[in-house]
Amino acid sequence: MKCDETRPTCTSCSNAGLNCGGYEKSVFFGTHDASSNGTIRFRRPLLTEHERACMSETLTSSVPPKLAMWHIEQIEESSETASRTKDFEVYHGCFGAFRLAQEQYHTASDTSMMVTEEVFCPQELFSTGEESLFVSDDMALTPRTRALFQSILEDPLPERNQLLPTMDLLDFANDSGRIEEIFDVDFTPSAIQQPQQFSLLAQDHYFPLSLPQSAVNHMSSPESPELLRAGPSTRVVLPPDAVQLFKHYSITVLKLLTPFQHSKTPWHVLFMPHVKNCLAALTLGEPLDHASLCAFYGVLAVSAFSLHGLSACASWLETAKAYKQLAREHARKMLHSAYDIPKTAKYKSILMALLTMVQVAMISGDAEQTDCYFLEAEKFVRVKGLNRKKSRKVRLLHHCYAFERIFYESISVANVNLTHRNHVRKTIESSGAAIYSQDSLTFRLSSWGNLDNDMMRIKGKEEGENDLHLQLPGTWSATLYPEIFGIPESYLFLLSLIIRLGKLKDAAEQQEDENILSLKEFLARAKAVERCIKQLPQSDTSNSELPLEDSQSLLTTMLSAMQNALAIYFYRRIYDVEASILQSKVEAVRDCLSYFESVSSDTPYGAIRLIWPAFIAGCEAEDTDVRDTISGWFDRSAACSGSRLFADTRANMERIWAQKDRLGGESASWIDLMKSTA
């Protein structure tokens, strides 16, 4: 049942005879008055029901009802005779009036770093000192209010004391050597420039870090609150720029990940609510597990890297690195207990954290970490995710992992981190979870009879859900790739087949596999894949629920770029044809990139999804004008989005051009060049 938030008790639950569970904690942010657009905002009460009842009883019992008007008249008379230039306080019974000096209040024009509202943490609510109750140093309690709250503090509430976390703080905030020893965190000057302040919210839970002061100095935007704080004496340390970074992530970064503008993407229904709940929990001083903190700090790191790319401000880069370090530390602790029974965190929370760390590693340009987090995500999905009933949200996360992993594998041709890959495979096999996987653990090529006919085969539910890396041909009506990325599953399946054919080709060349196919059978399979690539649909109509505002022309253009890049990748990876033969397809991808820029003055939705086709086509471009156009698209996309992925991909592409130019007339593919430099 939904709580109707009626006070003092929920009417719906009371009528049904249930114990009201309340409503979820949440913090809403906005740059304008929420009432102007009809949005309702809720705040959690600072006092419990019992405490408010005690306060009401104290107030009403202090003055007889017949004398209430007389007390109010006395207050009015005292207020009229009070000096206009001095502060005063007048109390009669439970009524009172006071005036404070104007300089104690701040206006929005006083400073661009002023917070828009105070959010108090429940840990400070019942501290031993009565002065800390709901107040900060610049807003002391009036004598009458202090007396009323004192009566509440003197009333012991066992249930309240059990719920609040223990506040036995460890006083070693400035002992950086001791902190490094305990938490294995890098506190060298190059990593974090200022001493960190640690706060212990609950025993054996987590230790959130404040960011260096230099990471706060650049916060100059008056439109977004810089800091959510709970008064000077509060022990809870919330990241000073969490709100601004979360806003930037939700407005700018998410725009790059999906071509759709609707709010049903995994980032809108899973990642953003999860991070918002983490922010609300930190604001309220509630303990979080390592998976939630990993995702929270990872999102802040991604957003900070993006702001660094937009502003070229060194402090944003320092902030991003600090958040990345925090996210990695919580990821390490999360993985230590990810497979424990009973579980320490929800399956979705751990998988979201791993996917966020993949994004952090990719954004920061760390190829080794990217590979490691992909492998950890695969191990976790195969061991904990395939042998379970999968909700829609779980399937959304599985699709997000598989989509990114398949594109990553297509350009990871140098077999990096082979030791870790073998370890992950053996771990999955020893756990007994390999039997639930419908695909192989090493991107091997499966056998099929007639690929054209098998592509029309209808997959069953288990086969569709557990064919993680799309090894088996067929159609699965419940696939979510078109809904998330605007790309039919057939595109991903054919890319997966090309990857598997390429690995088989490499194994045959190096004579690493005794069970390799004959040349005739290999060419037959390659021909079947080539026919399917030519028959790929240029538009997808399987998702009839797409909103009207999503431009079908942009989706069609993106699919055209994908199809041409897929063909380029196939001919180079499998047949290794001359680059001159592929120039028409390279120009087709170039035209798609130009069309995307022409229809949007800003970075279009789903721009990151164009990086792969732009890179594949750009590496094979021979004409100088085509190279300049593709390189310019990467530069402009990086300038509009702030994402380092565009700049790093362009740099890799230009290195391949330089290597090709040094080879002269030889038509070396980017795949061979990457293998030679690995």
Side-chain angles (χ1 to χ4, degrees):
M1 297 182 64
K2 185 176 181 181
C3 176
D4 61 11
E5 301 164 11
T6 305
R7 297 298 176 188
T9 57
C10 172
T11 305
S12 300
C13 294
S14 178
N15 294 337
L18 302 174
N19 293 327
C20 182
Y23 53 94
E24 289 186 354
K25 59 184 181 296
S26 186
V27 178
F28 299 86
F29 307 101
T31 57
H32 51 78
D33 185 9
S35 60
S36 61
N37 58 5
T39 302
I40 301 176
R41 301 182 67 177
F42 302 101
R43 290 179 176 86
R44 291 170 66 91
L46 295 176
L47 300 177
T48 65
E49 297 286 350
H50 179 72
E51 291 162 347
R52 280 181 283 171
C54 292
M55 182 183 294
S56 299
E57 183 179 354
T58 303
L59 292 173
T60 55
S61 62
S62 61
V63 173
K66 294 182 179 180
L67 298 179
M69 291 303 299
W70 181 83
H71 283 285
I72 294 176
E73 291 174 359
Q74 295 300 313
I75 291 176
E76 291 179 353
E77 293 178 3
S78 301
S79 300
E80 291 177 358
T81 58
S83 173
R84 298 286 181 179
T85 59
K86 296 181 179 180
D87 298 344
F88 70 89
E89 295 180 359
V90 181
Y91 299 98
H92 284 272
C94 62
F95 308 107
F98 61 93
R99 179 170 60 227
L100 299 178
Q102 187 67 29
E103 58 268 17
Q104 293 185 12
Y105 296 95
H106 301 279
T107 62
S109 60
D110 291 336
T111 174
S112 61
M113 313 248 315
M114 177 61 62
V115 295
T116 58
E117 62 179 276
E118 299 285 337
V119 180
F120 296 95
C121 296
Q123 282 84 351
E124 281 301 298
L125 205 60
F126 304 105
S127 61
T128 56
E130 60 189 56
E131 290 291 335
S132 64
L133 190 63
F134 309 120
V135 296
S136 58
D137 289 345
D138 61 347
M139 189 180 70
L141 290 173
T142 62
R144 179 59 181 167
T145 308
R146 185 184 300 113
L148 293 174
F149 284 159
Q150 183 63 32
S151 65
I152 297 175
L153 289 173
E154 293 173 354
D155 181 22
L157 296 176
E159 66 276 15
R160 178 184 67 197
N161 297 331
Q162 292 174 3
L163 292 176
L164 292 177
T166 305
M167 294 303 295
D168 297 331
L169 301 180
L170 302 180
D171 188 19
F172 52 71
N174 295 321
D175 188 0
S176 59
R178 177 62 174 159
I179 294 173
E180 290 181 7
E181 177 183 349
I182 295 177
F183 301 107
D184 191 23
V185 181
D186 184 11
F187 279 85
T188 58
S190 61
I192 300 179
Q193 299 296 329
Q194 298 290 338
Q196 305 298 305
Q197 300 298 322
F198 277 77
S199 294
L200 179 58
L201 294 186
Q203 292 179 341
D204 299 327
H205 276 286
Y206 65 97
F207 297 77
L209 290 160
S210 66
L211 284 182
Q213 183 62 33
S214 57
V216 182
N217 294 335
H218 61 263
M219 301 291 298
S220 58
S221 174
E223 297 182 356
S224 38
E226 173 230 356
L227 175 63
L228 293 177
R229 58 188 177 92
S233 62
T234 303
R235 298 294 184 179
V236 179
V237 179
L238 197 66
D241 42 18
V243 176
Q244 181 179 3
L245 290 174
F246 178 70
K247 282 186 175 181
H248 179 73
Y249 184 86
S250 62
I251 294 174
T252 303
V253 178
L254 293 193
K255 181 181 179 181
L256 306 171
L257 301 178
T258 175
F260 300 123
Q261 303 179 33
H262 59 71
S263 58
K264 295 182 180 180
T265 68
W267 298 275
H268 290 91
V269 301
L270 289 173
F271 287 87
M272 287 179 59
H274 182 60
V275 175
K276 185 184 292 186
N277 286 337
C278 292
L279 180 58
L282 288 176
T283 304
L284 298 172
E286 298 181 359
L288 292 175
D289 54 68
H290 292 297
S292 298
L293 288 171
C294 175
F296 176 73
Y297 288 122
V299 165
L300 297 188
V302 170
S303 184
F305 276 119
S306 175
L307 284 173
H308 168 67
L310 288 172
S311 63
C313 182
S315 58
W316 276 126
L317 180 59
E318 178 188 344
T319 301
K321 290 180 178 180
Y323 280 135
K324 178 185 176 181
Q325 178 68 16
L326 282 172
R328 289 190 63 197
E329 177 63 17
H330 286 293
R332 182 180 65 84
K333 296 177 180 179
M334 172 193 72
L335 290 174
H336 283 170
S337 59
Y339 303 92
D340 290 351
I341 298 175
K343 61 183 180 181
T344 57
K346 293 182 178 179
Y347 175 80
K348 294 193 294 292
S349 298
I350 296 177
L351 188 51
M352 277 191 283
L354 288 172
L355 293 177
T356 302
M357 291 310 299
V358 168
Q359 192 178 43
V360 172
M362 294 175 68
I363 290 292
S364 59
D366 195 319
E368 184 177 358
Q369 288 184 15
T370 302
D371 193 81
C372 287
Y373 284 119
F374 265 129
L375 294 176
E376 289 298 329
E378 177 188 358
K379 180 174 67 174
F380 184 70
V381 170
R382 292 191 186 276
V383 173
K384 289 289 188 178
L386 297 186
N387 183 28
R388 59 177 290 159
K389 184 178 180 180
K390 303 170 189 64
S391 65
R392 173 180 170 82
K393 291 183 178 180
V394 169
R395 291 195 295 116
L396 284 172
L397 292 175
H398 287 184
H399 278 68
C400 289
Y401 157 75
F403 184 89
E404 299 289 357
R405 178 67 185 276
I406 290 174
F407 278 104
Y408 171 78
E409 287 293 327
S410 68
I411 59 176
S412 179
V413 296
N415 288 328
V416 296
N417 216 353
L418 190 59
T419 302
H420 191 191
R421 289 173 179 258
N422 292 333
H423 171 72
V424 168
R425 177 177 56 82
K426 293 178 181 178
T427 301
I428 297 172
E429 292 174 346
S430 62
S431 68
I435 60 175
Y436 303 110
S437 299
Q438 295 287 326
D439 60 327
S440 68
L441 306 182
T442 56
F443 277 90
R444 289 186 175 273
L445 188 67
S446 62
S447 60
W448 66 74
N450 188 320
L451 182 59
D452 299 280
N453 294 335
D454 290 344
M455 288 285 288
M456 305 300 296
R457 182 179 62 89
I458 303 299
K459 288 184 178 181
K461 182 176 183 294
E462 182 180 359
E463 187 179 12
E465 291 180 347
N466 291 0
D467 184 14
L468 189 60
H469 293 155
L470 301 181
Q471 176 179 325
L472 306 178
T475 301
W476 185 33
S477 59
T479 182
L480 298 175
Y481 291 112
E483 181 178 335
I484 302 173
F485 304 103
I487 300 176
E489 186 175 296
S490 56
Y491 282 66
L492 275 297
F493 169 71
L494 290 176
L495 178 58
S496 177
L497 287 190
I498 299 173
I499 295 171
R500 298 170 193 275
L501 276 174
K503 290 183 179 294
L504 186 64
K505 176 185 175 183
D506 294 340
E509 292 175 350
Q510 300 173 10
Q511 297 181 351
E512 295 178 347
D513 193 347
E514 298 179 355
N515 299 321
I516 59 176
L517 299 176
S518 64
L519 178 61
K520 179 180 179 181
E521 187 174 358
F522 177 84
L523 292 177
R525 295 198 176 194
K527 284 290 184 181
V529 174
E530 182 181 6
R531 286 195 304 270
C532 291
I533 293 175
K534 293 180 179 179
Q535 297 170 4
L536 282 175
Q538 285 294 312
S539 61
D540 179 59
T541 58
S542 61
N543 190 354
S544 59
E545 299 181 358
L546 294 181
L548 296 176
E549 61 266 22
D550 290 316
S551 174
Q552 187 62 42
S553 61
L554 287 178
L555 293 177
T556 302
T557 304
M558 184 174 66
L559 289 180
S560 177
M562 282 288 183
Q563 184 181 28
N564 283 284
L566 198 60
I568 295 172
Y569 180 73
F570 170 78
Y571 287 120
R572 263 306 199 183
R573 184 76 174 97
I574 305 304
Y575 290 155
D576 196 17
V577 302
E578 292 289 331
S580 58
I581 302 177
L582 304 174
Q583 293 309 299
S584 60
K585 297 187 179 297
V586 171
E587 293 173 358
V589 176
R590 184 271 317 268
D591 294 340
C592 293
L593 299 178
S594 300
Y595 176 77
F596 262 83
E597 284 193 301
S598 65
V599 298
S600 176
S601 57
D602 196 1
T603 304
Y605 282 84
I608 283 183
R609 304 309 164 199
L610 292 172
I611 291 180
W612 187 83
F615 173 77
I616 296 299
C619 288
E620 303 300 337
E622 294 184 334
D623 184 74
T624 304
D625 293 337
V626 176
R627 287 184 175 183
D628 291 342
T629 301
I630 297 178
S631 181
W633 178 83
F634 277 107
D635 289 336
R636 289 184 291 273
S637 297
C640 292
S641 65
S643 176
R644 183 175 170 178
L645 282 175
F646 295 97
D648 288 349
T649 306
R650 177 188 57 79
N652 292 334
M653 184 176 62
E654 291 180 347
R655 279 195 294 269
I656 291 174
W657 289 343
Q659 291 175 340
K660 282 187 173 183
D661 293 341
R662 284 196 297 269
L663 293 175
E666 297 184 27
S667 180
S669 70
W670 64 271
I671 299 173
D672 295 331
L673 294 175
M674 290 185 68
K675 287 181 181 179
S676 62
T677 57

